[in-house]
Amino acid sequence: MSVIIHPDVTEKSMKLLETENKLVFVVARGANKAKIREELEKLYEVKVDSINTLITPKGIKKAYVKLPPEYRAEEIATRIGIF
């Protein structure tokens, strides 16, 4: 089972991408931060600075992933196909 389900593409996530160098993903409900970090670093070949997670009232788990300054979230989003 994959930890990362798909990127979250909303107005808020696009704003975070541009202003705070953060990517937002919908992740598996049972995934912890260590598993999310490991899969992101392996899939997209980036370092992860920090991860914050939340579970929405609908039961969807989201991961807010902050990248260090040497990696551009916009470049990663382009590779994923968000832009």
Side-chain angles (χ1 to χ4, degrees):
M1 181 177 101
S2 179
V3 173
I4 298 169
I5 298 172
H6 60 83
D8 186 47
V9 184
T10 60
E11 285 184 39
K12 181 180 178 181
S13 64
M14 292 296 108
K15 181 87 169 165
L16 289 172
L17 185 110
E18 295 169 358
T19 59
E20 297 183 29
N21 205 33
K22 287 185 180 181
L23 293 166
V24 183
F25 293 94
V26 175
V27 296
R29 184 84 186 256
N32 61 22
K33 291 179 183 182
K35 287 181 183 177
I36 296 167
R37 177 187 301 268
E38 181 181 313
E39 188 160 326
L40 283 170
E41 288 180 349
K42 185 176 73 174
L43 276 176
Y44 303 119
E45 299 170 355
V46 296
K47 288 285 186 190
V48 174
D49 203 14
S50 65
I51 299 175
N52 291 325
T53 60
L54 70 88
I55 298 175
T56 66
K58 293 182 179 180
I60 299 169
K61 187 169 187 175
K62 292 184 180 183
Y64 291 82
V65 181
K66 180 158 178 58
L67 301 175
E70 57 266 15
Y71 296 100
R72 300 282 306 144
E74 293 168 345
E75 291 175 11
I76 306 302
T78 303
R79 278 197 286 171
I80 296 171
I82 294 174
F83 274 149

